[in-house]
Structure formats: structure tokens, C-alpha cells
Amino acid sequence: MATYCLTVARLQLALGQGVRRLHVSAAFNAKAKVSMSRFEPSNYVSYEKLNENVNIVRKRLNRPLTLSEKIVYGHLDDPVGQDIARGHTYLRLRPDRVAMQDATAQMAMLQFISSGLPCVAVPSTIHCDHLIEAQIGGAKDLARAKDINAEVYNFLASAGAKYGVGFWKPGSGIIHQIILENYAYPGVLLIGTDSHTPNGGGLGSICIGVGGADAVDVMAGIPWELKCPKVIGVKLTGKLSGWTSPKDVILKVAGILTVKGGTGAIVEYHGPGVDSISCTGMATICNMGAEIGATTSVFPYNHRMKTYLEKTGRGDIAALADDYADLLVPDPGCEYDSIVEINLDELKPHINGPFTPDLAHPMADIGATAAKNGWPLEVKVGLIGSCTNSSYEDMGRSASVAKQALDKGLKCKAAFTITPGSEQIRATIERDGYSKILGDVGGMVLANACGPCIGQWDRRDVKKGEKNTIVTSYNRNFTARNDANPATHAFVASPEIVTALAIAGTLDFNPEVDYLTAANGEKFKLEPPSADELPKLDFDPGQDTYQHPPAEGGSKLRVDVSPTSTRLQLLEPFDKWAGGDLEDLQVLIKVKGKCTTDHISAAGPWLKFRGHLDNISNNMLIGAVNIENDGVNKIKNQLTGEYGGVPDVARHYKANGLSWVVVGDDNYGEGSSREHAALEPRHLGGRCIIVKSFARIHETNLKKQGMLPLTFQNPADYDKIRPDDKISIKGLATFTPGKPLSAVVKHSDGSKDDFQLNHTFNETQIEWFQAGSALNRMKELQ
């Protein structure tokens, strides 16, 4: 592909021997001459190389491999010498490609610019989906977004052109749907700067959400590090039918494993029940695997994937996958670290929430549970779509429900919105009549973007603080996530259940057994939805929204960032480790309970500052609960004695040369992959985060930015720390993998406590800390 403007020699000159070597031999291998995508005709699917590496590793380990092991180990930088131990060793991998959404791509591209490299080393894409706010409807909302975000879009488009990155313009659709339609295929290893990148597992891919600094490593041609995942097997038996949908599989799994039960593991679905699920249904299940903390999720290659590949113009990849079918399924006799079994014949429709995606309820129970807990029964808004559930089949099943209501003279009692996953889906459901049905029942079609799912929603039907219920087919329902209202009770279900609840207008409606009243007064039940898995005609691609990088390369192009911009800011390197222990770090905040990346770095209106580190830092930890007073964004400044916002106090400490530490609870940093939740503490003077446990992506992001993510060796030591304490981190002079550090805690009354702190740093990551960040270390090696 012409975008890869560096020769191997120039790459080696820039980065030494650690750079990725372009596999030009594939071009001469007749069996491998199938393009990875229509946008990169000279980059080929290389199952032969994958198979060669898998055979090396299988022989070394002397055991059958799971599917996820095959794909992950098949991408090892050194399959002969790599230490492999699930849950313990760090793997050095060579991903096939990188994908970035616009909110995270800003910081990723700013970091790539700072690296000094002239062009990306692997196929990479930017997708404009996060900055479009839902207000009054798709076309007008898109036009408004293009206007107010012009500076950011121009930066991303020009940076993409200069550095060889494909650019999907605003209106193209949600990154994960675009990847499924164009870039995912069985056996590919893809990393994406969004936590729901695992969506691609529905097409037999290993797709992993990462922070922007990880993406920069891969784009620079450096091996990417991942702690060797454990493998959780989910065995599916039976068959989906009736109102039960693929969404109910992951809602059930979330209820079983909880929001941290998948941490450090890949969830691998297998068993005879898999064949009853469509390819896009499998993608739904993998997408929401992020909500259990899983590294990613994956399904084995089957005929449903083959059909989807053919329908999306990739029949050549399907044919090649057929030739390597044994490579793209688990080995007989492979073993999982744990197994969950679900009988799809017995699975009932579920709804999860509020406030956490793992609080699972069968639809039959939600009414009584809501009444018992005082959750509002009236459904104010039903919202379908998002990256989790916006396929052609999803829209068709929802339209099937809506059509039944229309035939009986009914419309939605609740407000109702529809988010198409891509321009291709929008155009196709419009052509095939689904959009009209959903509009006629009372729905409003939003832009092809994330919208309310990530808080991009100008909601005006309730006031902030007003208790209310919404139901969505989204993936995440943390407090205030969708509409910035902490009193909104958000529930997650399948799109067909959401449609039924929007029509009924009440949470305690179970379409399997309950009746609606038609316009003429007769009682009727909704029949289970039915719809085509894929359109009978070809997909309508809609408008062409892809910008190819220039064929001649981008060396002559400029990417300008105004020094007065409030949206974009070039990065300055973080300071190096001074060489000693970290003494007397002031506790900035002791966080109580759940602290997601939404709490650490809120989205919604703050998305506009994702390319400007200093401005986005004004939202640092403003959603976290302070254990001292149960307040939000209200902490005591230990230098002045006054209370202020978390970012304001942090800035005051930094200005006065006082470094600080955050103390947190379990699964700290769960949720989005946003690396701003790591960049902001570093920028405002933080050096260390001490918690009971971390979510995977956030822990890695903190390491990348030169922070110390540490965990209590004894979780009860959390209770020893007081909000006004100072903490010293000891042992950094002999900082080595596997060796705990120690903490000395000075209390304001003169007493002290000390305890051990664990870490998961390997030798390379310790070098990041010592250099001040992974990016600093990359520059040192050039």
C-alpha cells in the first residue's frame, strides 16, 4: 500500500532493529495473495505465516491450543523464544493493524507526531464517530458537528494524510461497525483505541482495546506488549429462539462473571449453540465483553461468518479462510482456565442495570425488582443502536416489533431514538423500509455515530437530578453516562426489548406474557420478532465517506496546531524519574467505591478537549466520590485548608512543587480505554495510584505515562489511609519485576503505618517509568 512511505531500511534507521519488518515475502506467495481490505490492496492476509507460528508454539507447548491462543501466539514477535505462561508472562506481539476513534485519535496522533517518525508501519485508520452530539436528528446534528469540530476534523484528516492513515469522515459510522464491515476477518490481530474494539471477535478476530500510547507503539513498528491472557471458555448449547437474542447471552454472562470477572482473560465462545447466532450477533456478544473486564472475546470461524464476509464484498477472504478452517477454530482437546455453560434453549430475555452493566435481571423479574427498589417504572426514553446493536438484523427485529404496534394503531409512549451503526446500515435500512417503520412508530433517526451511548446527548425532557428511567441497547450504563444526570436509571437490553418497552412505556412490561391495548380497545400480544440476518439485496453503501492517504505519500504535507487553540495542544515530554524514592506524596483524594474512567475523565461535553491535555485535565476525577465527605469534586486542599475541586487542588499542589497520590478501591479504571484518565493525573503532578485492583487497560495506560499503578498486598490496608496523609513509596532504587514496593504512611497526628504494595511491571515497563513515559523511552532508543 502506498501509504507505507518508509522503506524497511529507513524504519530501521529510525528505530533500530526492534522495528516491524514488512512481510514482503507474502507478495510472492500465491496462496496468500488476498488483500486485507479493499482499501489496502497490496497488504495481504497471511494465514501461512500465522499457521507457521502456531505450529512452532504448539510443538513447544506440546498441547492443543484454544482459538484465542492460536491467533495471539500466531502473532508473536518471537514464537521460538517467547516465554508463554497464561496470566504471568508478557507477550511481544505484532498486530496486523490499528484503528482509532476520533476522540482518542487526537492524543494518539499527537504522540505519534512527537515520536518524529515519518509514516505508520502498519495499516491504520481514524474513525470520526465520538464528537457528534444528538440533538434534533441525524442530518442536522451531523452538519452542526462538522461545523463546531472543524479544527479537530481538519487536524485528523491532515495528520492521516501526512502519516499514511486512512480517514473515515464524520457520518461514516461507528468505528466498530466500520471495522466489522471492512477490516475484521478470521485470524486478524487488531488493536483499537476504544474499549469496545472486541466487537470484531464476532468475525473470528482478536481485536483488543488499548490506549493511544499502545497504538503509537504499533504504528511505529515496535512489538506490542500484552500480559499473556488466561482463557475463559463459554460453552453454548441449544438454540436462540423467540424473544431471546444474542444480547441476552452477554447480559447473562455479565451477571455471572461481574464487571471484573473477565480481567486478564480472553473469553472464547464455543459449542453447538454458536451456529444459531448470526455473525453480527456474535459481534454484539464480543462487544459487551468489555463490561466484564475481558481482554477481548472471540468466536470460531463458521458458515455465519463466511456469509457475512461474502455479503460485505470479501468473498475472497472467506474462500481463503475455508482453506485454513482448522487454523481458525480451537484444537480438539484444548483446555480453558474456567468454563461457563449456557443452554440457549433455556435462556430468557434479560435487562441489566441500573448504574452497572452486570446487574442482570430476567425480564420476568424486572417489574417486581424495580418496585422493591424504588426504581421508576415509567420509561422516559428508549434508545436503540450503538456499536453494540446496530446491525441490519438488529434494526430488522426492532422494526418487526414496531410494525406490529403500528398495525394495531399504536405508537411509542416513550421517546424513541435509533442510531444506525454505519452509513451502509443507514442507507440499507432506509432503502428496505425499516427506517420508515421505526419513524412511524415515533422514532427519531440519529446520526451514524456514538451519540447518547457515550454521553453525546443534548437531553431536555428531564431536569438534572430528576429521577427517571431510560432503556437502551447500548453496552454501558454507569451513573450519568448517557445524559450527565446522576438520577437517570439506565437499563441495557436487546434492541427488540427496548422497542417493546418504548411502545409500552413501562419497565414492568414483559412482551413474552403481557398484553398491550390496541387503538380499538382489544388486547393483543406482540409476537416474537423476526428479521433477515442480512439484506436480500446487496448492502447499499450510501455516501462515500473514506479518505485515502495520498498515493505519493505525505512527506510534503504539513500538520499545523495553533498555539492558541483550545481544542488541540502539542505535547511536552513528562519529566524523568529523579532516581530516588517518591517521598511524602500528598493524598489528593481517597476514592470511595466504583471509579470508572468516566469518573476519572468524563466524556459528554468534555470530548471537545480530548486533543488539549491541559484543558481536558480540568475534568480529572470530578466524578469520583471522596470518602471524607461522600462528596463529588470536593476535596480539602491540605496547603490552604480550603475545599475545592479535584483538578483545582491538584494544580495548586503542582504549582507548589507537591507531588500527589490517589487512593482507590476495586477495579479502578474500569470502562472506556481513554488514556486521558492516565495522562491527566500525570500532567497535574500525580506520581502514583494505589488501589485494591485495576482494570487492565487503565493499568497499562498509567504505566505508559510514567505513573506508578500499585495495589495493596493486603486490601485491608486501604482502610489505614486517611484523606490528609502523606505517603512515601520505597524501594524504587531496586525496582524489579515481581518484587513488591513498600509504603510509609505519615498521619497528621504524627503516627505512621507501613505496608507492602504489589505491581505488575516488567523490565520494559520499568524503563518507561524511569524515562518518564513510554514515549520518552521510544525517543531514547531512536
Side-chain angles (χ1 to χ4, degrees):
M1 184 167 126
T3 58
Y4 304 116
C5 48
L6 289 183
T7 64
V8 175
R10 289 175 64 197
L11 264 171
Q12 291 174 339
L13 184 64
L15 276 176
Q17 295 303 309
V19 302
R20 177 187 178 92
R21 280 151 178 79
L22 304 180
H23 298 295
V24 294
S25 60
F28 302 102
N29 188 316
K31 198 169 187 178
K33 281 189 83 72
V34 172
S35 297
M36 291 171 62
S37 84
R38 63 189 175 93
F39 302 104
E40 295 127 1
S42 59
N43 284 264
Y44 304 111
V45 177
S46 186
Y47 285 145
E48 189 163 285
K49 179 64 174 176
L50 183 69
N51 196 47
E52 177 186 324
N53 288 352
V54 167
N55 286 335
I56 291 170
V57 173
R58 188 191 290 113
K59 185 176 180 180
R60 283 183 55 206
L61 300 181
N62 193 30
R63 62 172 173 82
L65 301 179
T66 72
L67 170 61
S68 57
E69 287 184 305
K70 286 181 174 183
I71 302 174
V72 172
Y73 303 163
H75 285 83
L76 286 170
D77 182 52
D78 179 14
V80 174
Q82 171 74 60
D83 289 335
I84 300 172
R86 288 185 193 168
H88 296 287
T89 57
Y90 279 87
L91 307 178
R92 289 165 62 82
L93 302 168
R94 295 291 191 177
D96 296 301
R97 65 180 311 120
V98 173
M100 300 167 281
Q101 42 93 337
D102 50 355
T104 51
Q106 296 171 61
M107 198 58 68
M109 292 309 295
L110 286 166
Q111 290 177 86
F112 189 82
I113 291 169
S114 297
S115 76
L117 295 171
C119 186
V120 296
V122 300
S124 303
T125 50
I126 294 169
H127 304 259
C128 294
D129 61 0
H130 270 57
L131 301 181
I132 303 168
E133 185 182 53
Q135 284 189 332
I136 54 178
K140 292 182 178 179
D141 291 345
L142 177 59
R144 179 174 177 271
K146 287 180 177 179
D147 180 45
I148 64 175
N149 298 312
E151 180 186 12
V152 171
Y153 292 148
N154 289 339
F155 165 74
L156 293 174
S158 60
K162 180 170 180 62
Y163 297 105
V165 179
F167 179 70
W168 289 85
K169 302 172 187 177
S172 302
I174 306 171
I175 178 173
H176 310 303
Q177 184 69 28
I178 297 293
I179 289 172
L180 199 71
E181 293 173 354
N182 297 280
Y183 299 118
Y185 60 83
V188 74
L189 176 60
L190 178 151
I191 66 164
T193 60
D194 190 279
S195 58
H196 292 107
T197 302
N199 189 81
L203 203 41
S205 311
I206 292 293
C207 299
I208 300 177
V210 299
D214 277 344
V216 172
D217 279 356
V218 177
M219 290 191 294
I222 296 173
W224 172 61
E225 288 197 339
L226 176 72
K227 194 167 190 178
C228 188
K230 294 185 177 181
V231 188
I232 298 172
V234 178
K235 183 178 181 180
L236 302 179
T237 59
K239 185 179 180 180
L240 287 178
S241 63
W243 282 91
T244 306
S245 74
K247 186 66 164 277
D248 298 306
V249 176
I250 187 57
L251 295 177
K252 177 70 172 178
V253 169
I256 295 169
L257 293 179
T258 78
V259 289
K260 63 177 183 177
T263 303
I266 293 177
V267 179
E268 189 170 315
Y269 293 85
H270 63 283
V274 167
D275 285 343
S276 74
I277 306 173
S278 67
C279 177
T280 52
M282 290 186 261
T284 291
I285 294 168
C286 292
N287 176 293
M288 201 172 159
E291 273 50 74
I292 58 172
T295 300
T296 193
S297 303
V298 68
F299 278 83
Y301 179 63
N302 67 0
H303 70 282
R304 309 298 283 264
M305 296 183 191
K306 178 179 181 178
T307 302
Y308 184 81
L309 285 168
E310 291 171 341
K311 202 69 175 178
T312 52
R314 293 174 288 169
D316 51 352
I317 294 180
L320 189 62
D322 283 345
D323 289 342
Y324 285 90
D326 289 345
L327 176 66
L328 305 172
V329 297
D331 286 343
C334 67
E335 294 186 358
Y336 300 97
D337 292 285
S338 60
I339 292 183
V340 175
E341 295 195 28
I342 297 177
N343 185 339
L344 301 180
D345 289 334
E346 299 172 357
L347 183 64
K348 290 291 186 179
H350 274 61
I351 186 168
N352 287 22
F355 306 123
T356 184
D358 59 348
L359 187 57
H361 320 275
M363 281 301 299
D365 299 341
I366 187 60
T369 303
K372 177 183 176 182
N373 288 285
W375 301 335
L377 288 177
E378 181 190 3
V379 174
K380 288 285 190 179
V381 191
L383 306 99
I384 65 170
S386 88
C387 65
T388 316
N389 277 110
S390 58
S391 67
Y392 184 82
E393 181 182 36
D394 289 328
M395 296 294 114
R397 285 174 67 88
S398 298
S400 170
V401 175
K403 181 69 164 57
Q404 294 178 60
L406 286 171
D407 289 346
K408 297 293 184 178
L410 298 184
K411 290 192 173 185
C412 291
K413 290 184 178 179
F416 186 44
T417 70
I418 302 97
T419 303
S422 68
E423 170 62 9
Q424 179 167 278
I425 293 295
R426 182 209 62 77
T428 306
I429 65 171
E430 187 173 295
R431 178 198 69 192
D432 293 352
Y434 291 166
S435 293
K436 185 178 190 311
I437 293 170
L438 295 169
D440 288 348
V441 83
M444 177 172 68
V445 178
L446 302 177
N448 313 324
C450 301
C453 184
I454 60 162
Q456 285 282 45
W457 183 17
D458 183 20
R459 188 180 181 194
R460 300 182 180 183
D461 63 302
V462 297
K463 295 179 180 178
K464 190 169 183 177
E466 182 180 339
K467 198 173 176 180
N468 74 101
T469 285
I470 65 173
V471 290
T472 83
S473 70
Y474 302 163
N475 42 45
R476 212 164 265 165
N477 58 348
F478 300 140
T479 302
R481 176 176 173 85
N482 300 124
D483 61 358
N485 180 5
T488 293
H489 292 56
F491 295 85
V492 176
S494 68
E496 49 266 50
I497 288 292
V498 171
T499 304
L501 293 178
I503 292 165
T506 182
L507 192 64
D508 58 1
F509 175 74
N510 179 4
E512 287 195 303
V513 298
D514 292 335
Y515 288 80
L516 294 169
T517 302
N520 63 5
E522 72 177 25
K523 301 286 186 180
F524 74 100
K525 269 179 64 176
L526 292 169
E527 294 296 322
S530 62
D532 291 331
E533 176 181 341
L534 295 164
K536 289 184 172 65
L537 303 174
D538 287 340
F539 278 107
D540 183 340
Q543 299 179 38
D544 182 5
T545 54
Y546 179 71
Q547 172 187 292
H548 290 269
E552 66 276 11
S555 60
K556 297 180 181 179
L557 301 177
R558 289 178 56 88
V559 180
D560 293 322
V561 175
S562 169
T564 61
S565 172
T566 61
R567 300 289 300 272
L568 298 165
Q569 180 185 45
L570 294 175
L571 297 175
E572 295 292 333
F574 292 128
D575 58 303
K576 293 183 178 182
W577 173 55
D581 291 332
L582 299 179
E583 301 284 354
D584 294 331
L585 302 176
Q586 179 67 56
V587 173
L588 177 69
I589 181 174
K590 183 179 179 183
V591 177
K592 177 182 178 181
K594 185 186 282 282
C595 190
T596 72
T597 48
D598 279 3
H599 295 86
I600 304 167
S601 177
W606 290 95
L607 285 167
K608 68 172 78 70
F609 298 123
R610 284 283 182 87
H612 196 294
L613 180 54
D614 194 56
N615 284 344
I616 191 70
S617 294
N618 289 322
N619 77 357
M620 186 191 72
L621 287 160
I622 63 175
V625 177
N626 180 9
I627 199 169
E628 179 187 15
N629 53 21
D630 284 336
V632 174
N633 201 28
K634 185 179 181 182
I635 61 172
K636 188 175 182 178
N637 186 323
Q638 302 300 328
L639 296 180
T640 67
E642 300 175 352
Y643 281 83
V646 181
D648 299 325
V649 174
R651 286 184 186 277
H652 188 258
Y653 288 168
K654 181 181 180 181
N656 285 274
L658 180 60
S659 296
W660 49 262
V661 58
V662 170
V663 178
D665 213 317
D666 263 320
N667 209 30
Y668 185 90
E670 70 172 281
S672 167
S673 69
R674 65 192 67 151
E675 67 178 337
H676 300 77
L679 281 160
E680 293 171 30
R682 185 75 165 96
H683 176 65
L684 294 186
R687 297 312 309 264
C688 182
I689 311 290
I690 305 173
V691 301
K692 294 179 182 178
S693 65
F694 283 102
R696 174 190 65 86
I697 300 176
H698 186 58
E699 182 182 25
T700 301
N701 286 345
L702 288 166
K703 292 176 183 178
K704 286 278 187 178
Q705 303 307 334
M707 294 284 287
L708 276 179
L710 305 174
T711 55
F712 296 102
Q713 193 170 87
N714 178 2
D717 289 335
Y718 169 89
D719 297 322
K720 295 179 180 178
I721 297 178
R722 305 169 191 172
D724 59 350
D725 284 344
K726 289 192 174 182
I727 302 176
S728 296
I729 307 300
K730 303 288 188 178
L732 289 174
T734 56
F735 191 12
T736 53
K739 182 181 178 181
L741 299 172
S742 59
V744 177
V745 182
K746 296 178 183 178
H747 304 303
S748 57
D749 61 6
S751 62
K752 293 184 179 181
D753 274 302
D754 59 83
F755 44 78
Q756 296 291 292
L757 297 169
N758 292 336
H759 67 85
T760 61
F761 281 79
N762 62 23
E763 290 179 358
T764 299
Q765 294 167 345
I766 290 172
E767 291 174 356
W768 299 345
F769 168 74
Q770 293 169 341
S773 70
L775 188 58
N776 287 359
R777 181 59 179 157
M778 183 195 296
K779 289 181 179 178
E780 288 178 354
L781 293 173
Q782 287 183 21

